């Protein structure tokens, strides 16, 4: 009964993630998404948003309480305090292209098409409100690695009323978020979470643990909102990077708020080392979005379907082929390498590549 009560509050929290008014192609754009020019952390908070609560549980949530248990759970893990051999890099890249836009969110609004603000989807070509682990697993992908059928999505960027979609392959990093990179293990199939919130204020976005350099273009960095203008040179785009939590509780693939089963690493007392907290002891890859949007010049009409620039957030739904993901994590992250999408480190050619020329396991 306690968990059922948690679901109600969790759904209300989840409902705060979606803002409903009229928008592009049926998308729900925020009422407060006026043209923006500020880039200061003192930018005002959201105003005038309409929020809707989720009215359905995910198809994989058998009892409808908002929790999707891992099967099997990961038990008996202690946060690692080990000091591994020095390695400056421990990462690999996934290169995925945009597949479609849609006012859906299968994590926040499962089974409720059209209820979300508009999202730009990458990777899996089938992602929509009704997506499940099984449906993604049987879908196709626009990631270079056919084994990565995960769903990646974020609020759609708009210039006036026109969507501005990233062109070509976008870089999604899989890194070690903890000092002991040898303790990182692959994501469990079906794990899903939301990074950030469309309802966060400018200061909350700036202070978010996943904040890297905010919105940037040209020589302008650390903007919490869109800059007033960007250089009009041909190669200038609007960029953002944001990191996800990388410590898992080992129990749930999702929770009612779509966040509390994940946590950011903490600093080991008396050191500069990062480790997982005791209640989220399982170290997983740290995802980092690095997105580039083809827009520059006058930015006064640029906004997100979720609101101001500091409403940026993103979702991840893991549907990697288990063997492929494990091979990439073991070779590149645990192995302390800086790998491309094939699992190849050009600085350590002797280590070889994980995937063949078709980005598949040999």
């Amino acid at each position: 009964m306690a968990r059922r009560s948690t679901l109600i509050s969790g759904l209300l929290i989840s409902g705060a993630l979606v803002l409903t008014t009229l928008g592009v192609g049926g998308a729900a754009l925020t009422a407060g998404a006026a043209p923006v020019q500020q880039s200061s952390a003192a930018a005002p908070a959201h105003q005038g948003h309409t929020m809707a609560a989720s009215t359905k549980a995910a198809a994989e949530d058998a009892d409808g309480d908002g929790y999707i248990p891992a099967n099997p759970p990961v038990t008996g893990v202690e946060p690692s305090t080990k000091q591994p051999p020095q390695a400056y890099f421990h990462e690999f890249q996934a290169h995925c292209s945009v597949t479609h836009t849609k006012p859906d969110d299968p994590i926040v609004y499962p089974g409720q098409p059209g209820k979300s603000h508009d999202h730009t989807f990458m990777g899996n070509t089938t992602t929509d409100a009704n997506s499940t682990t099984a449906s993604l697993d049987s879908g196709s992908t626009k990631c270079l690695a056919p084994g990565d059928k995960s769903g990646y999505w974020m609020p759609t960027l708009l210039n006036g009323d026109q969507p501005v979609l990233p062109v070509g392959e976008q870089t999604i990093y899989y890194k070690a978020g903890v000092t002991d990179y040898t303790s990182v293990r692959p994501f469990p199939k079906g794990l899903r979470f939301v990074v950030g919130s469309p309802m966060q204020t400018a200061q909350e976005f700036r202070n978010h643990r996943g904040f890297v350099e905010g919105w940037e273009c040209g020589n302008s960095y650390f903007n919490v909102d869109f800059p007033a203008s960007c250089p009009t040179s041909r190669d200038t785009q609007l960029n953002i990077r944001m990191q996800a939590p990388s410590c898992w509780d080992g129990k749930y693939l999702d929770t009612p708020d779509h966040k509390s089963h994940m946590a950011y690493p903490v600093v080991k007392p008396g050191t500069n080392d990062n480790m997982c907290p005791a209640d989220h002891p399982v170290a997983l890859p740290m995802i980092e979005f690095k997105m580039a949007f083809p827009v520059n010049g006058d930015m006064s009409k640029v906004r997100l379907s979720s609101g101001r620039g500091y409403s940026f957030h993103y979702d991840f739904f893991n549907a990697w082929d288990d063997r492929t993901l494990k091979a990439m994590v073991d070779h590149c992250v645990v192995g302390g390498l800086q790998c491309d999408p094939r699992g190849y480190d050009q600085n350590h050619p002797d280590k070889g590549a994980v995937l063949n020329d078709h980005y598949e396991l040999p």
Side-chain angles (χ1 to χ4, degrees), residues 67-283:
Y67 294 84
I68 300 178
N71 185 21
V74 176
T75 59
V77 175
E78 295 291 333
S80 177
T81 59
K82 294 179 182 178
Q83 284 278 357
Q86 180 64 35
Y88 191 77
F89 294 105
H90 15 70
E91 65 184 50
F92 69 88
Q93 299 177 14
H95 286 183
C96 303
S97 300
V98 169
T99 58
H100 59 288
T101 65
K102 210 175 185 70
D104 285 6
D105 190 324
I107 296 178
V108 176
Y109 286 127
Q112 299 157 81
K115 199 166 186 178
S116 173
H117 50 257
D118 201 57
H119 282 111
T120 294
F121 293 88
M122 296 173 292
N124 199 296
T125 63
T126 68
T127 315
D128 62 18
N130 296 307
S131 290
T132 63
T133 304
S135 73
L136 293 176
D137 202 37
S138 62
S140 60
T141 183
K142 287 190 72 174
C143 295
L144 284 184
D148 183 7
K149 295 185 178 182
S150 301
Y152 307 90
W153 62 95
M154 58 192 171
T156 297
L157 187 83
L158 300 161
N159 190 1
D161 290 329
Q162 295 301 311
V164 179
L165 305 181
V167 177
E169 299 162 7
Q170 301 300 298
T171 302
I172 300 165
Y173 290 98
Y174 284 67
K175 302 182 176 184
V178 293
T179 299
D180 183 10
Y181 58 86
T182 66
S183 68
V184 176
R185 64 180 69 196
F187 291 116
K189 183 72 73 72
L191 182 77
R192 66 209 74 179
F193 52 78
V194 179
V195 182
S197 167
M199 296 305 295
Q200 62 206 355
T201 64
Q203 194 60 46
E204 287 170 339
F205 179 48
R206 179 65 184 85
N207 294 335
H208 194 279
R209 292 287 305 279
F211 186 94
V212 181
E213 293 179 346
W215 293 101
E216 57 184 28
C217 62
N219 293 320
S220 180
Y221 302 92
F222 298 105
N223 298 294
V224 298
D225 208 343
F226 300 119
S229 64
C230 290
T232 56
S233 55
R234 190 171 183 178
D235 60 346
T236 299
Q237 298 192 77
L238 180 69
N239 300 282
I240 192 166
R241 295 167 59 193
M242 192 170 186
Q243 297 175 342
S246 59
C247 296
W248 179 43
D249 65 9
K251 300 175 182 177
Y252 300 108
L253 302 178
D254 196 13
T255 42
D257 65 357
H258 315 299
K259 295 182 179 183
S260 59
H261 53 309
M262 301 295 296
Y264 284 92
V266 296
V267 177
K268 179 183 176 183
T271 73
N272 290 320
D273 296 345
N274 289 322
M275 57 183 288
C276 285
D279 56 355
H280 291 75
V282 184

Side-chain angles (χ1 to χ4, degrees), residues 6-17 51-54 109 256:
T6 302
L7 170 64
I8 296 174
S9 60
L11 289 176
L12 292 175
I13 293 172
S14 299
L17 295 176
M51 298 175 292
S54 178
Y109 286 127

